[in-house]
Each structure stands twice: as structure tokens, then as C-alpha cells.
């Protein structure tokens, strides 16, 4: 079934064939996993990660009812946020935060999922508005992956709690590539408990991507960051 330029021009949805279908498939898989976990799907927030995707796709997703979007590169996010300010989107920043960009990121991102350093907390806390943060846990031994080690989480949490303008929401993690996702997310659930011993209100868990959101839901994730399962393949990085 070919779609010609006329169909593509007729509306944002039509420009992205299969988008609505992929979204509803993922939504039904979320419902199913929630049922399996004995949880309510309404307690789970899906953030659609639109990195590398054109602003038009964000618009199409907004028309399909998505209000939470995620970006991972500051420069790209900045451009989209400016073009799409009419949509009432809540922007989430999910990528590694460069210290010198942190303040700027906090100017448009309501939630920053990838906080792993005191200097980033200082920068975010220095803006006028309050920013919600997740503290990122590194589930590998590789410091380049971003995130703090399990044992360093309480100290970072205490610093975050003492920083004005920071609302600590919970813990975030990416499951190691090719590993046991369920086991990794069980560790994240442990880390969440550890965090709550210091910050009782920081109960949320940002975990689960296209390939492992079911496992994340089974281990208590409250915020899923889903890209390609909904958007389709990303255009090449260029
Ligand atoms: C890109 C990205 C995602 C989404 O990944 P998909 O596999 O496309 O679902 C989630 N979290 C982070 C931190 C990302 O960078």
C-alpha cells in the first residue's frame, strides 16, 4: 500500500505511516504488562523519546494525545522546543548532561532524568524555576555510561535534597546492553528503596525502553522512555 505525496501532505499523522498503530500496540503491551504485574497502567507515564526525529513527528504524536516527550541532545532539543511551543508538551531530558549546558537544559526541560553529579545539581538549582530530577544509576562498571554507582547514590541524594530548586523524583537507569534486563531492573528497584531511605518522597523509577519496558514494568517502573517502538527507526545521526 503506497502512500503518495498527496496523502503525506494531508495531515501530520499521514506523514508518519504506522505511527498511530505502533503507539496503540505499545500502549496495549503496557496495559498487559501492568496487568501481569498487578499494577494500574494509569500509574505508568510513557515518555516518547523523539531524538533524531523531525519536529513534525512530535506534532503528530501530540495530535495522538502524547504530552510527555523525551530528548537526549541539548542542541537538537532546543530547536524543537522553540518550534513546538504551542503544543503544551512536557519535555524530559534523558541524555547525558554536560555541566556547562545544564542550566540551559533546565530552562525547557521540566524533568531531567540523567543527573549523576553535584555540579549538574548546582547548575540546575541555580535557575529560577524548580526542576524535577531523577538520579541516574550506572548498572555497569564503565564510568562512560553515565550514572552513579549504587553505593554513591545516598550521598548524591542528600546533596540533591539540600539544593534549592531541585525536586528529587526518583532513580533512573538504562539496562546494560545484551544483559538480563529483569535482573538489572530488580537492582534498580533495590536502589529506589535505598534512595527512599534518604528521600522518602522520591518513589518514582524511570526505566524501560523499547526493548525492555515489560521487564521494567514488572520491576516497578513508573516512567518509561520509549523511542523506536513508537517512532519507528531513527533517521541516521547525520
Ligand atoms: C534513546 C533513549 C531511549 C529510547 O530508546 P529506544 O530504544 O529507542 O526506545 C531511552 N532512554 C535513553 C536514555 C535514551 O537515550
Amino acid at each position: 500500500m503506497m502512500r503518495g505525496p498527496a496523502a503525506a501532505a494531508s495531515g501530520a499523522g499521514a506523514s508518519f505511516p504506522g505511527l498511530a498503530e505502533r503507539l496503540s500496540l505499545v500502549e496495549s503491551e503496557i496495559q498487559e504488562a501492568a496487568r501481569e504485574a498487578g499494577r494500574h497502567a494509569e500509574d505508568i507515564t510513557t515518555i516518547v523519546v523523539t531524538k533524531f526525529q523531525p519536529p513534525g513527528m512530535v506534532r503528530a504524536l501530540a495530535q495522538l494525545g502524547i504530552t510527555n516527550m523525551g530528548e537526549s541532545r541539548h542542541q537538537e532539543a532546543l530547536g524543537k522546543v522553540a518550534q513546538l511551543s504551542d503544543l503544551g508538551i512536557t519535555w524530559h531530558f534523558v541524555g547525558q548532561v554536560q555541566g556547562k549546558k545544564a542550566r540551559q537544559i533546565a530552562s525547557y526541560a521540566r524533568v531531567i532524568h540523567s543527573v549523576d553529579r553535584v555540579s549538574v545539581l548546582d547548575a540546575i538549582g541555580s535557575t529560577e524555576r524548580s526542576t524535577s530530577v531523577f538520579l541516574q544509576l550506572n548498572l555497569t562498571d564503565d564510568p562512560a555510561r553515565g550514572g552513579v554507582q549504587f553505593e554513591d547514590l545516598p550521598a548524591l541524594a542528600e546533596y540533591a535534597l539540600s539544593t534549592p530548586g531541585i525536586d528529587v523524583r526518583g532513580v533512573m537507569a538504562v539496562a546494560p546492553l545484551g544483559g538480563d534486563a529483569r535482573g538489572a531492573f530488580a537492582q534498580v528497584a533495590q536502589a529506589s528503596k535505598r534512595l527512599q531511605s534518604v528521600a522518602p518522597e522520591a518513589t518514582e523509577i524511570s526505566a524501560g525502553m523499547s526493548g525492555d519496558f515489560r521487564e521494567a514494568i514488572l520491576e516497578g517502573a513508573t516512567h518509561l522512555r520509549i523511542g523506536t517502538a513508537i517512532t519507528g527507526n531513527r533517521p541516521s545521526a547525520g
Side-chain angles (χ1 to χ4, degrees):
M1 208 177 16
M2 298 291 288
R3 283 176 191 257
S10 70
S15 304
F16 301 99
L19 183 64
E21 290 77 7
R22 285 190 299 270
L23 176 62
S24 73
L25 179 63
V26 167
E27 282 172 343
S28 66
E29 289 172 350
I30 292 170
Q31 300 256 350
E32 204 174 299
R35 208 165 24 242
E36 194 181 338
R39 303 178 55 199
H40 298 290
E42 309 84 71
D43 298 336
I44 299 170
T45 300
T46 299
I47 296 146
V48 181
V49 179
T50 52
K51 64 186 179 203
F52 299 117
Q53 301 291 354
M57 180 179 282
V58 177
R59 212 167 265 289
L61 286 163
Q63 283 173 6
L64 292 167
I66 298 295
T67 54
N68 290 286
M69 309 284 179
E71 287 286 332
S72 63
R73 302 188 313 164
H74 168 60
Q75 222 34 268
E76 178 188 346
L78 202 58
K80 281 184 204 167
V81 168
Q83 282 182 62
L84 300 167
S85 60
D86 56 314
L87 297 179
I89 290 167
T90 298
W91 292 97
H92 297 250
F93 194 83
V94 304
Q96 286 194 16
V97 181
Q98 283 181 274
K100 56 184 193 296
K101 300 284 161 60
R103 226 183 111 81
Q104 263 185 293
I105 291 169
S107 72
Y108 58 81
R110 183 62 62 194
V111 189
I112 302 181
H113 289 241
S114 35
V115 171
D116 61 0
R117 265 164 302 151
V118 157
S119 59
V120 167
L121 286 166
D122 283 339
I124 297 170
S126 71
T127 61
E128 273 101 84
R129 70 183 201 178
S130 164
T131 304
S132 292
V133 306
F134 285 88
L135 303 179
Q136 184 177 354
L137 193 69
N138 187 349
L139 298 173
T140 74
D141 297 326
D142 177 6
R145 309 282 311 189
V148 290
Q149 295 297 323
F150 188 88
E151 58 272 20
D152 298 326
L153 185 64
L156 186 66
E158 289 190 19
Y159 192 88
L161 289 172
S162 71
T163 309
I166 299 280
D167 177 19
V168 186
R169 297 267 295 266
V171 70
M172 176 275 208
V174 177
L177 253 156
D180 161 27
R182 184 84 195 258
F185 294 137
Q187 279 179 267
V188 178
Q190 283 300 315
S192 172
K193 292 215 180 74
R194 186 81 186 79
L195 173 61
Q196 288 173 63
S197 70
V198 178
E201 280 163 23
T203 57
E204 297 178 324
I205 298 177
S206 169
M209 302 171 33
S210 290
D212 55 22
F213 63 83
R214 176 181 166 274
E215 289 81 1
I217 291 167
L218 292 173
E219 293 297 338
T222 59
H223 289 68
L224 313 174
R225 309 177 312 269
I226 303 182
T228 51
I230 294 172
T231 63
N233 287 337
R234 284 185 272 274
S236 67

